[in-house]
Amino acid sequence: MAEAIDTFSLRSIAVPAFGPTVLYGTAIGAILPVVALTASDLGATVALAALIVTLTGIGSLVANVPATLITTRFGEKWALVGAAAWCAAAMVLAAVVPVLWVFAVAVFMVGMAGAVFGLARQSYVTEAVPLHYRARALSTLGGSNRIGVFLGPFAAAAAMHFAGTPGAYWVGAGAALAAGVLSLTVPEPTVRVQRTGRRRRNGQRAEAVNAAAPPTIRSILTSHSRVFRTVGIGVLLIAAVRATRQAVIPLWAQHLGIDPTQTAIIYGISAGIDMLIFYPAGRVMDLRGRRAVAVPCMLLMALGLALLPLTSSPLGLLAAALLIGFGNGIGSGIVMTLGADFSPQPGRPQFLGIWRLLSDIGTLGGPGLLAGVTAVLSLSAGIGATALLGVAGAVVLWRWVPKGRPPVGAASGRPPAG
């Protein structure tokens, strides 16, 4: 094991692991700015357009459990290829059929594809990377996705200059197809549960060795219920705060009367800080432990959110946004890393499917809390409530995420003491 760790390099999996992720992120980033606009152009009201935007999250939520079945049945490689093809088909559908309900179905399909693609890539990297490099690999995986999402809008803007709004979806379709083609370079795992059947050996019929049937989602949910009730709640809170932070910066900028150009610059700078520090964050997780990053991540985002309603100028908003972006950036890959640490083998895809379900619940629930508190009280109160979620998440993660580096072979699915 020591020799494998000493000789391992992230470069050895760069193309199969991170290449498709950058391309898939580009596909998603290309359409994110235009989904609501397209829905409005097709006749949707403002409320309906907002609902259609959420269909990506709903599609991912619904598809998380089926994603485990697909990945277990076909393996990570073909799950990635199939998800990319499904996403490309959805993009083409959105581009060529200008009908509102068809467009809504296409957006839902994109969310479904994201669930399968995300689960398969996380499962592959977890299997391919030694524990000593796990956090760096998964942080780089998360950073690769962020790079793609960052680049996507620029590619879409160039295409829309010539082809109008459908150009964004053609860029998305092309990037998703490219991700699928590059996913063909993903090697098959060296160990795979053997399927029941017969094979020929030296011209003679021989019974294949039947491995134990893989765990079911229900059995994983039962045997690892303590993890889901503890660290899983922390993951849900991370996702809730992260999803809400994307909305509060432009909303508060609008509240202050800051023009859209300045708002876009502030948001972009915050996203840039977020995107640039993923590898150092992963290294700290590998050397100092997951808690050394998870807790500061939540506290810094909570502090930035708490300061946001106190700002009254573009410079103040930028300072708070940078703090939020830095806090989110140092937590790059933390959800995937914790999922990998606690996931059992066999049963990793099933565990990670439930893990992603918890994250998606947080992704949908966080903005819902913001909207509810804002409607009843005020926007500043809604942002404050989100900051409290960040503090609660820090407390949960401090209590249940083990201190220090995980020992080799410790991924048992149970939270170690400490």
Side-chain angles (χ1 to χ4, degrees):
M1 173 65 73
E3 182 180 355
I5 291 174
D6 290 340
T7 59
F8 178 80
S9 170
L10 286 179
R11 294 178 183 176
S12 64
I13 63 167
V15 172
F18 308 132
T21 301
V22 172
L23 289 168
Y24 195 88
T26 301
I28 301 303
I31 70 167
L32 282 178
V34 298
V35 170
L37 176 62
T38 304
S40 297
D41 289 343
L42 294 176
T45 63
V46 173
L48 183 56
L51 177 62
I52 289 174
V53 170
T54 67
L55 286 178
T56 52
I58 296 172
S60 178
L61 186 71
V62 169
N64 273 317
V65 172
T68 69
L69 305 177
I70 293 170
T71 304
T72 301
R73 173 67 177 82
F74 298 103
E76 289 84 359
K77 173 180 179 176
W78 295 108
L80 289 168
V81 172
W86 186 257
C87 180
M91 301 283 194
V92 172
L93 191 63
V96 302
V97 184
V99 178
L100 184 60
W101 72 266
V102 174
F103 177 71
V105 170
V107 173
F108 185 79
M109 289 170 61
V110 170
M112 295 172 64
V116 179
F117 194 92
L119 174 65
R121 73 184 181 185
Q122 181 182 359
S123 181
Y124 165 68
V125 173
T126 301
E127 293 286 351
V129 176
L131 179 62
H132 182 67
Y133 278 89
R134 177 178 287 169
R136 272 168 281 190
L138 291 172
S139 292
T140 303
L141 187 67
S144 300
N145 183 69
R146 294 176 193 202
I147 290 170
V149 172
F150 180 78
L151 296 175
F154 295 101
M160 287 190 291
H161 180 73
F162 298 100
T165 304
Y169 300 98
W170 288 117
V171 169
L177 280 177
V181 171
L182 196 55
S183 294
L184 292 171
T185 65
V186 173
E188 295 288 356
T190 55
V191 178
R192 175 68 63 190
V193 175
Q194 296 177 334
R195 297 187 181 92
T196 302
R198 296 179 181 271
R199 64 186 178 188
R200 291 189 179 273
R201 179 184 298 159
N202 298 326
Q204 301 293 327
R205 236 178 176 20
E207 291 291 335
V209 177
N210 291 332
T216 64
I217 292 173
R218 178 177 294 181
S219 68
I220 291 293
L221 188 59
T222 301
S223 61
H224 297 77
S225 60
R226 182 171 174 239
V227 176
F228 297 130
R229 293 196 313 265
T230 54
V231 185
I233 297 301
V235 164
L236 187 152
L237 292 171
I238 291 173
V241 174
R242 281 178 163 174
T244 308
R245 92 188 194 288
Q246 296 177 329
V248 296
I249 293 174
L251 285 174
W252 191 252
Q254 184 183 45
H255 174 77
L256 295 179
I258 299 173
D259 66 74
T261 301
Q262 286 183 304
T263 300
I265 292 172
I266 291 170
Y267 191 93
I269 294 173
S270 176
I273 294 293
D274 182 336
M275 183 178 63
L276 290 174
I277 58 176
F278 59 84
Y279 186 82
R283 183 172 176 80
V284 171
M285 277 193 276
D286 276 331
L287 298 179
R288 299 291 183 181
R290 315 324 190 198
R291 193 166 75 178
V293 164
V295 175
C297 162
M298 293 300 282
L299 289 177
L300 287 172
M301 284 198 291
L303 178 60
L305 287 165
L307 293 174
L308 194 65
L310 303 179
T311 63
S312 57
S313 67
L315 188 60
L317 177 61
L318 175 62
L322 287 175
L323 187 58
I324 295 170
F326 183 79
N328 187 58
I330 65 171
S332 175
I334 184 62
V335 171
M336 291 190 291
T337 302
L338 289 173
D341 286 346
F342 288 108
S343 62
Q345 184 61 286
R348 179 162 286 136
Q350 292 86 346
F351 181 96
L352 294 180
I354 300 170
W355 202 250
R356 288 181 59 83
L357 181 65
L358 289 170
S359 179
D360 282 349
I361 290 172
T363 298
L364 290 174
L369 175 66
L370 173 69
V373 175
T374 299
V376 173
L377 298 174
S378 65
L379 177 58
S380 59
I383 297 173
T386 306
L388 290 178
L389 286 184
V391 174
V395 171
V396 171
L397 294 167
W398 174 265
R399 173 65 182 86
W400 294 110
V401 174
K403 182 180 180 181
R405 294 167 55 181
V408 175
S412 63
R414 296 181 179 86

